[in-house]
Amino acid sequence: REHRASDARAQLMLEHVGDLVTWHDAAGSVVFANEAARGLTGAEPAQLFGRGLFERVHIADRPLFLKALSDAAHGTGRAGACFRVLFVPAGSDGHACPSPVVRWLDLSARRIEQAGPRAGAAVVCVSRDVTGRHAIDEERERNRVEAVKASDLKGHFLATVSHELRTPLNAIIGFSEMLSGDLAAGLDADRRKEYAAIIHDSGHHLLDVVNTLLDVSKIESGAR
């Protein structure tokens, strides 16, 4: 009677746990699933028996799922994995909707040594819904990638602007030094006029670059 009462309490506790609890035999087949199966997979607990849970795991995550079971059963005795399952919600008519929803589950598996007629190693798994957390992590990663991309674009922009400023500045400084230095006495009028034109054109180029930077600044700040 004590054993039956203990089993009943354990069963009652499992049925009210929000996480999916599954019991797997030595071959990895599900032999028990609690009531959380409905909320996390859209299936009745009995529908997960055998390969029912495996068939609801996203096909790309099935090797990871099987490895976690194998590591727990035949390795260290503990294993974990984060995988996707296809949740199939029921429609208004009671039948399953054709468009499943992907949910992320964080699985913790542990080997249990059984005694009695079913002696051998079994694996108990607890799978928690982490879909919301995973969405936050994905958003954070997208923001990080966008920030890195923006930083790279900013670096490329600054390098381009530096080149656009340095080239005309070198021309202005160089030719103005020639016109004002000792070599100016040996320059004829046409050469002086040529050098002055280069300085003039370089100055206008600088002005165009500065105006472009001001326009970009206004656009970024939302000014008209």
Side-chain angles (χ1 to χ4, degrees), residues 34-182:
N34 68 340
E35 296 297 323
R38 296 189 185 94
L40 295 184
T41 68
E44 293 296 321
Q47 291 179 295
L48 301 186
F49 289 3
R51 292 172 54 87
L53 176 58
F54 173 78
E55 291 173 352
R56 286 169 172 79
V57 175
H58 193 286
I59 189 170
D61 296 339
R62 289 178 181 179
L64 183 66
F65 175 76
L66 292 177
K67 184 178 185 304
L69 293 179
S70 177
D71 289 347
H74 309 292
T76 61
R78 294 175 180 267
C82 191
F83 61 96
R84 289 164 289 182
V85 294
L86 301 180
F87 173 82
V88 183
S92 57
D93 56 357
H95 295 86
C97 293
S99 301
V101 178
V102 174
R103 282 189 171 175
W104 284 88
L105 299 184
D106 187 33
L107 176 143
S108 177
R110 182 172 180 175
R111 182 174 64 232
I112 301 293
E113 298 295 338
Q114 299 182 105
R118 294 185 178 181
V123 175
V124 174
C125 296
V126 178
S127 301
R128 175 163 296 178
D129 188 352
V130 293
T131 305
R133 187 187 74 188
H134 194 271
I136 293 174
D137 291 341
E138 284 188 331
E139 180 66 21
R140 186 182 295 114
E141 178 62 17
R142 281 195 296 269
N143 292 337
R144 187 193 67 81
V145 171
E146 290 177 0
V148 171
K149 184 178 179 180
S151 179
D152 291 341
L153 289 174
K154 182 178 179 180
H156 178 71
F157 174 74
L158 291 176
T160 302
V161 170
S162 298
H163 175 74
E164 291 294 327
L165 293 175
R166 188 179 296 112
T167 301
L169 278 173
N170 288 335
I172 292 173
I173 294 172
F175 286 107
S176 62
E177 287 179 348
M178 293 179 64
L179 290 175
S180 61
D182 297 336

